[in-house]
Amino acid sequence: MTKSNELIYQDERLDKYDELRIIQKKDGPYFSIDAIILAKFANVGKGDKVIDLGAGGGIISLLLASTTDLQSVTAVEIQNELSDLARRNVILSGLEHKIEILNDDIRLIDKKFPPESFDLVVSNPPYRAIGSGRLNPRS
């Protein structure tokens, strides 16, 4: 069995974007062009430390780590299932040396890191009307 097959569950599929290998749920949510545009828009400098708030499956962190000279990305995701998915995406794309996945609440991030810990903050928040879409039971 290959490394890919060991990391992909039955309800998931493996997609590719450039050199990245990205696991996504067969029944969504999927990353979209929004994440790609945001990653290209982010002004990441050489050696920057980046934090990705509400990282989901880690697509923005993956894009930034694979296309810039940043030092590291800390990807914060509250949902256990999505942070697990992000961890597996990091492994499949071989970016463990650049990306750390934190399964935590972004509302508590100031308790974990001093204010000057990061050079850049990125986030791709939901933009649906309040109360629509899938709601996080932990919020």
Side-chain angles (χ1 to χ4, degrees), residues 2-124:
T2 66
K3 184 177 182 180
S4 295
N5 292 338
E6 294 170 4
L7 294 173
I8 302 170
Y9 304 151
Q10 281 188 329
D11 64 338
E12 298 171 338
R13 68 175 201 231
L14 180 63
D15 293 329
K16 291 183 180 183
Y17 180 79
D18 288 338
E19 300 300 314
L20 298 174
R21 297 162 45 120
I22 303 159
I23 304 167
Q24 300 193 86
K25 293 287 183 186
K26 289 178 181 175
D27 293 327
Y30 310 122
F31 79 87
S32 67
I33 191 71
D34 305 22
I36 296 165
I37 292 169
L38 177 58
K40 289 182 185 283
F41 179 77
N43 189 14
V44 179
K46 183 175 183 171
D48 278 356
K49 292 181 180 179
V50 177
I51 188 165
D52 180 1
L53 301 177
I59 185 62
I60 294 173
S61 297
L62 292 164
L63 289 166
L64 293 177
S66 66
T67 61
T68 70
D69 287 329
L70 57 72
Q71 178 180 331
S72 63
V73 180
T74 301
V76 184
E77 174 54 50
I78 193 171
Q79 296 180 63
N80 294 333
E81 185 176 22
L82 287 178
S83 62
D84 173 63
L85 183 69
R87 263 187 210 92
R88 293 182 285 127
N89 282 333
V90 168
I91 293 166
L92 275 178
S93 292
L95 292 168
E96 303 96 322
H97 63 290
K98 284 190 170 183
I99 303 173
E100 174 189 14
I101 306 297
L102 258 181
N103 180 220
D104 214 335
D105 189 335
I106 63 173
R107 296 174 294 188
L108 305 174
I109 209 69
D110 62 331
K111 310 274 188 273
K112 301 215 180 271
F113 301 102
E116 295 81 21
S117 297
F118 300 97
D119 301 297
L120 181 69
V121 177
V122 294
S123 183
N124 190 13

